[in-house]
Amino acid sequence: MAYVVERKPLSLSERLYIPQVLAGMKTTLKHFFAPNVTMEYPEQRPAIPPGYRGVPTLVKDPHGREKCVSCQLCEFVCPPKAIRITPGEIPADAANAHVEKGPKAFDIDMLRCIYCGLCQEVCPEEAIWLQNQYSMSGYTREEMVNNKERLYELGGTLPDQHFKWDKKKAAEQRGNAHH
């Protein structure tokens, strides 16, 4: 047996939706004059906490020389195998001729990188750093592979407290080749 429910007729204000429109305008005006609680990314960037591990980059020493000696430790320790290094020879007249090798090609596939930081920890020359850049995008897979030039562009130059190469070169000039 069907039961018919009587529908209560709408009042005039309910039929015109005036209370609902006014309530919506009140909410809009309240947020219009209130301080913003959201950031307008990418124009406004959040503060990055110290120790944040972002995109891995290559850095140069304060003299503008490549710090990477192509030892490939970062490539061996990388869990997702995102790093590919092709070692190259250093010409005898180059500014960093005191090292045996340098990277001919150095690629990091950012689609594979898990930002673990192992590459930075094993690098004996402190040439690879995970810096505070966290936003990377691209339209193709090839755009997400950072080559050597792009890695140096992202990394730039970091202050070096050790000046390991300068100390080694000065020791060689003093006649102490085994320093």
Side-chain angles (χ1 to χ4, degrees), residues 39-156:
M39 299 185 84
E40 295 179 12
Y41 184 84
E43 288 82 17
Q44 295 177 345
R45 302 249 175 178
I48 304 297
Y52 178 81
R53 291 189 283 187
V55 173
T57 62
L58 288 175
V59 295
K60 294 183 177 182
D61 71 353
H63 301 294
R65 300 176 293 200
E66 286 184 342
K67 294 177 82 174
C68 179
V69 294
S70 193
C71 65
Q72 297 179 298
L73 282 175
C74 56
E75 183 179 3
F76 295 131
V77 77
C78 182
K81 305 295 180 199
I83 299 175
R84 294 280 178 250
I85 299 174
T86 305
E89 297 294 324
I90 302 289
D93 57 342
N96 55 350
H98 52 283
V99 295
E100 295 176 7
K101 295 185 294 182
K104 184 176 176 183
F106 195 115
D107 297 327
I108 299 179
D109 187 351
M110 295 311 301
L111 295 175
R112 292 180 145 214
C113 181
I114 58 174
Y115 302 89
C116 64
L118 289 176
C119 53
Q120 179 180 338
E121 291 182 21
V122 299
C123 184
E125 300 294 331
E126 297 178 348
I128 188 165
W129 283 87
L130 274 67
Q131 297 195 6
N132 60 3
Q133 182 176 354
Y134 53 86
S135 175
M136 288 202 62
S137 61
Y139 292 107
T140 62
R141 289 186 169 271
E142 290 77 25
E143 289 178 9
M144 296 305 292
V145 176
N146 289 339
N147 60 13
K148 182 177 149 182
E149 289 76 26
R150 175 83 175 131
L151 290 169
Y152 277 119
E153 179 185 317
L154 291 171

Side-chain angles (χ1 to χ4, degrees), residues 3-57:
Y3 180 73
V4 178
V5 177
E6 293 293 325
R7 177 175 267 187
K8 180 181 164 191
L10 296 175
S11 67
L12 177 64
S13 66
E14 289 173 336
R15 283 187 272 162
L16 295 177
Y17 296 105
I18 290 176
Q20 290 79 15
V21 170
L22 291 177
M25 292 298 291
K26 178 183 171 189
T27 303
T28 302
L29 287 174
K30 185 176 80 179
H31 288 289
F32 187 72
F33 294 109
N36 290 337
V37 293
T38 58
M39 299 185 84
E40 295 179 12
Y41 184 84
E43 288 82 17
Q44 295 177 345
R45 302 249 175 178
I48 304 297
Y52 178 81
R53 291 189 283 187
V55 173
T57 62

